[in-house]
Amino acid sequence: MTSRALFPAVAPFLRLAPVPVIAVASLAIRTPWATAHADLAALLFLWITADSLATGLIVAERMRLGRPPAARVVLAAIALGLVSGVLGLTPPLRSALAGMPWVVAVGTALVGGHLLYGVAGAWAVLRRPGVTKLEAAVACLVPPPLAQLVAKELALLHLALFRWRSPPDVPPGCQAYSYHRDLTPLMGGLLAAQVMEIVVVDVALGIHHRTAALILFAVGDIGFIYLLGLTKSLRLRPVLLTPQGVRIRFGLLVDRLIPYDAIAHVGTADGLERRGAENLSRLVAPNVALTLAVPEARRRFLRSARTVTRLAFAVDEPRDFIGAVRERLSGAECQSSL
């Protein structure tokens, strides 16, 4: 079996491998030895954070692509490791690091060079004609494992804060089916409860401990923004019938394209058994189920793979949706027979 075939199984372990290494090093720099040898301990900790992140990324990217990663990707991992290392230093070690100008100069040059190179690459990506690839632009600044996560966070913040009264995202040639009708009252209630919680916690806790109240207020605001973005995404990202297949979406949580030739049957989700099926509408009971022509094996972290035979989700008008999918399936069969 090739390394690329093994990558899906070992990817979570490769990406998490630097965490225990950095955790052990973080404990080591808090020992009396590290305090007595602050200069050496600071240098070793920076080297461990940068080297562990870069090595894990190089191995993962080599397994995924079958070749070494680009120099820009390695530089991004090193820069992230240096910044994380400086933030993780204890005050005595940070003071010792400030007393070594050559180390500060080298680290600043590496991080600054990466930022300049990354900003130039991101600007070039954003200026390309056509649809902007946010993830590709973010990947110029952070390592690939984080690029997708950061891009999703930025998209959610933009959706929550700046998109008001926007029409649903329906590309040309696609037929949209909403699913937010029953979810809107629930999400509205959750948003109202979140606002009440923020106000009550800030007032009640602020009387006794203002610092804790400010921390919880910030956490509550972040949670409110995320919940608002998710609520708006339920309306703006409907399920689509595209020329290629059924694009199942559920807000920002799910976005999957199932080709028509991969669908063996479409029907209601009545009597749907949990085993062998996957519910893609996380917050509402599904009412539509797609039976796959070829079962899929889904890998799960630290658990055995699960065979999925049906994909279940919800739409507001299940009968119309099922009829439209069946028409597309019959049309695809006629074209294949010709």
Side-chain angles (χ1 to χ4, degrees), residues 35 43 45 49 54 76 123 126 163 171-172 182 230-231 237 255 267 275-276 296 312:
T35 305
L43 291 176
F45 185 70
T49 54
W123 179 252
L126 293 175
R163 293 194 61 180
D182 295 334
L230 175 60
T231 302
R237 297 168 62 88
D255 191 343
R275 186 174 182 179
E296 297 181 354

Side-chain angles (χ1 to χ4, degrees), residues 163-182:
R163 293 194 61 180
W164 299 94
R165 298 182 180 179
S166 299
D169 298 330
V170 182
C174 297
Q175 189 175 356
Y177 289 87
S178 64
Y179 50 82
H180 67 279
R181 184 174 57 195
D182 295 334

Side-chain angles (χ1 to χ4, degrees), residues 125-197:
V125 171
L126 293 175
R127 293 190 64 183
R128 291 175 186 172
V131 180
T132 299
K133 298 291 186 180
L134 180 60
E135 184 177 343
V138 174
C140 296
L141 294 169
V142 299
L146 295 177
Q148 185 178 9
L149 176 62
V150 174
K152 288 183 177 180
E153 298 298 316
L154 293 176
L156 187 144
L157 290 176
H158 177 265
L159 176 63
L161 300 176
F162 300 106
R163 293 194 61 180
W164 299 94
R165 298 182 180 179
S166 299
D169 298 330
V170 182
C174 297
Q175 189 175 356
Y177 289 87
S178 64
Y179 50 82
H180 67 279
R181 184 174 57 195
D182 295 334
L183 283 170
T184 299
L186 171 64
M187 303 305 292
L190 291 177
L191 286 170
Q194 183 76 12
V195 172
M196 293 177 60
E197 179 186 4

Side-chain angles (χ1 to χ4, degrees), residues 248 256 265 267-282 286-292 294-298 300 303 305-313:
I248 305 173
R256 291 191 56 191
H265 177 72
T268 62
D270 298 336
L272 186 69
E273 297 181 359
R274 181 177 180 83
R275 186 174 182 179
E278 182 175 3
N279 181 14
L280 300 180
S281 299
R282 311 291 175 80
N287 51 23
V288 175
L290 301 180
T291 302
L292 301 177
V294 179
E296 297 181 354
R298 296 293 178 82
R300 298 182 292 177
R303 291 186 293 176
R306 178 168 174 248
T307 302
V308 176
T309 58
R310 303 174 74 186
L311 299 177
F313 53 97

